[in-house]
Amino acid sequence: MQPISLKEAPVQFKIALVKALGLGVDNTGSILDEQGKPIVDEYVKERVTLANMAILPGSRVILVDNEVSIAGYLNAHPDIQIE
């Protein structure tokens, strides 16, 4: 699977994508879980927002789009193949 950058995606596209995953967005742009609580990236302990989100193949996990977070996720999930 080829990664696709969301950096340049329109905000409305990002919102629709998040909602299609069964999640929400608050008025500050924070991504909310099914209970309406802000999602915090487990690797870098930052709140995930529309501006910094990354969605990796094979998951519904939404991460902060920085190298530490993505490397942590890939290290924890060695079965994921990114070309």
Side-chain angles (χ1 to χ4, degrees):
M1 180 173 277
Q2 197 71 1
I4 299 171
S5 174
L6 296 173
K7 287 263 188 222
E8 303 300 321
V11 172
Q12 292 305 322
F13 174 82
K14 292 179 186 182
I15 291 170
L17 179 59
V18 168
K19 288 183 177 183
L21 292 172
L23 304 172
V25 180
D26 70 12
N27 59 359
T28 68
S30 291
I31 310 299
L32 307 175
D33 66 14
E34 294 88 352
Q35 290 76 41
K37 296 179 184 174
I39 294 176
V40 176
D41 183 297
E42 67 180 284
Y43 302 101
V44 295
K45 308 301 184 222
E46 290 181 36
R47 189 175 285 198
V48 181
T49 67
L50 291 173
N52 71 8
M53 73 179 194
I55 303 172
L56 299 181
S59 75
R60 198 188 81 156
V61 175
I62 300 181
L63 305 170
V64 170
D65 67 348
N66 72 40
E67 298 84 14
V68 175
S69 178
I70 294 171
Y73 179 83
L74 293 175
N75 187 46
H77 301 89
D79 54 316
I80 293 178
Q81 303 281 326
I82 296 182
E83 298 174 15

